[in-house]
Amino acid sequence: MVKVALDQTSVNKFIATLQRFAAKTGQSMRDATLEQAALICQDAATFTPPMPKGGGRGLSKAAQTAGDNAVAGDIRKIFVAANDRNTNSASALLTNQLAYATKANDYSLFNKVIGSGTLQSLKGLSPIMRKIANDQDYARAFKKAKNYFNTTSPQRSEYGQGYVGELRGPHDRIKGKFGGRIGKNVRPTKVKLLVESKGDLSNYIKQRQEMVGLIKSGWASALRSLPKPVINGIPKNFGVDLLNVAWINRHTSIRGTNSLVVDNQVKSIELTVTNTQGNVNNIGVDASVIPLVIANRRKQMGLRMRKHLKDAASATKLS
């Protein structure tokens, strides 16, 4: 749930603009408020990450791609596939695993790394390590490695040695250390974790990419919960751009709500829209979502009022 303390000046300016907007467009305050609330939900989804470079356009395909790339980048900061021939880090990590295995006299781990055959095809492997990897006599290879690594100090992963079979557990634990989001220049682990297969790593990345758009979907849910404003006797749909984005609306687990209180006696209206997960891991506050939304709504109401006056003037000239 996004809870942001807007400065009172900003709030007062928004309310004043909304009052003028209702008067200039000939709407009741109730309907003008409902219209802007729907568009606030749409703007909030637009300004909530992921967004493409330059910001905004948070409902675009480019925003989904940015989210997918961010997910893949975070995961690849943590895991490396042992059979990934396109990176030097796989050979370095496997070498480190062998060093640890020999130091710990862990013959089982050593055999698993050597026996997978991945070392032989990796780039960046030293000539001595290549000879050890090519030795089909694992007992002899173990002795060679033990001698080779005798003076080394292998780094031990804080998440265990060997291959990681279930990626979600360590991934969630590591993300949790950084508030759920890993920064651009952050190195989340001293030693990356090894995944045996490149295919397994790719499948896990695709699985987590399916969550892209989840937080934005709470704003779509809040939008759907709103009564429709009635303009000239006709119920109107606002915020349809948000409701038409498949990669956001594929999610249905995040709840959005509204609370509408109209007091006709004192001519007041109070409306709150809520995305129950809109500020998870501080995503809303860090992106200044609500201040951006309020500023944009004031700007757009101003543009609408000017257009309405221009259209009215044109209609008067024609009559």
Side-chain angles (χ1 to χ4, degrees):
M1 184 186 299
V2 179
K3 288 188 177 180
V4 180
L6 289 167
D7 66 277
Q8 195 57 45
T9 302
S10 178
V11 172
N12 292 341
K13 284 181 179 178
F14 176 79
I15 293 171
T17 304
L18 180 58
Q19 289 170 335
R20 289 197 305 274
F21 177 78
K24 295 291 185 185
T25 57
Q27 296 184 59
S28 69
M29 269 300 289
R30 177 187 183 277
D31 292 322
T33 301
L34 285 170
E35 174 186 330
Q36 290 307 307
L39 293 170
I40 279 171
C41 290
Q42 181 167 279
D43 282 358
T46 299
F47 293 122
T48 294
M51 294 177 282
K53 255 186 178 176
R57 296 188 296 131
L59 307 183
S60 65
K61 183 66 178 176
Q64 182 187 14
T65 300
D68 286 345
N69 290 342
V71 169
D74 278 359
I75 292 172
R76 292 190 188 281
K77 285 180 182 178
I78 299 170
F79 302 101
V80 172
N83 60 348
D84 189 347
R85 301 182 185 183
N86 298 317
T87 175
N88 284 324
S89 60
S91 59
L93 285 167
L94 282 163
T95 300
N96 184 68
Q97 290 278 23
L98 289 179
Y100 177 82
T102 58
K103 289 282 185 179
N105 280 316
D106 191 338
Y107 193 61
S108 174
L109 173 60
F110 181 87
N111 283 351
K112 188 169 186 181
V113 174
I114 289 290
S116 65
T118 53
L119 268 170
Q120 300 172 36
S121 60
L122 295 176
K123 66 179 182 180
L125 202 64
S126 71
I128 295 175
M129 279 307 306
R130 200 167 292 282
K131 284 182 181 179
I132 293 171
N134 287 330
D135 195 334
Q136 297 302 304
D137 186 331
Y138 294 167
R140 183 172 60 204
F142 184 79
K143 288 178 182 177
K144 287 181 184 176
K146 199 168 181 62
N147 183 58
Y148 178 63
F149 292 122
N150 185 46
T151 58
T152 63
S153 298
Q155 286 185 295
R156 190 179 191 282
S157 167
E158 60 265 55
Y159 295 92
Q161 299 304 121
Y163 297 115
V164 177
E166 174 55 51
L167 280 66
R168 189 181 185 100
H171 181 205
D172 285 345
R173 286 197 299 276
I174 293 167
K175 279 200 311 172
K177 287 170 57 180
F178 298 92
R181 291 184 295 154
I182 300 170
K184 281 186 179 179
N185 300 313
V186 173
R187 183 181 177 184
T189 60
K190 288 189 296 183
V191 181
K192 287 187 179 182
L193 282 66
L194 274 168
V195 181
E196 194 162 3
S197 163
K198 193 175 178 180
D200 289 343
L201 182 55
S202 296
N203 288 339
Y204 180 70
I205 289 171
K206 286 177 185 174
Q207 176 190 331
R208 294 309 291 250
Q209 285 172 334
E210 289 173 4
M211 303 302 288
V212 170
L214 180 68
I215 303 307
K216 293 175 187 275
S217 72
W219 292 116
S221 176
L223 171 56
R224 284 190 291 268
S225 78
L226 285 166
K228 287 180 171 54
V230 179
I231 300 174
N232 296 324
I234 302 170
K236 296 288 185 178
N237 292 316
F238 290 95
V240 291
D241 287 350
L242 170 57
L243 299 182
N244 287 334
V245 182
W247 60 273
I248 294 174
N249 290 279
R250 63 185 172 178
H251 304 290
T252 57
S253 61
I254 304 299
R255 186 166 170 257
T257 63
N258 81 83
S259 173
L260 175 63
V261 178
V262 180
D263 190 328
N264 292 317
Q265 286 189 331
V266 296
K267 296 182 179 179
S268 73
I269 179 167
E270 184 176 308
L271 175 59
T272 304
V273 288
T274 301
N275 174 352
T276 55
Q277 295 292 314
N279 196 35
V280 66
N281 301 324
N282 242 30
I283 189 171
V285 169
D286 288 350
S288 300
V289 172
I290 299 305
L292 285 170
V293 168
I294 296 302
N296 188 54
R297 281 296 94 222
R298 285 189 60 225
K299 175 184 175 183
Q300 296 304 323
M301 281 191 284
L303 293 173
R304 276 280 305 281
M305 283 188 279
R306 285 194 285 276
K307 184 179 185 304
H308 184 79
L309 291 172
K310 186 178 178 182
D311 291 346
S314 298
T316 302
K317 287 178 184 179
L318 292 172
S319 60

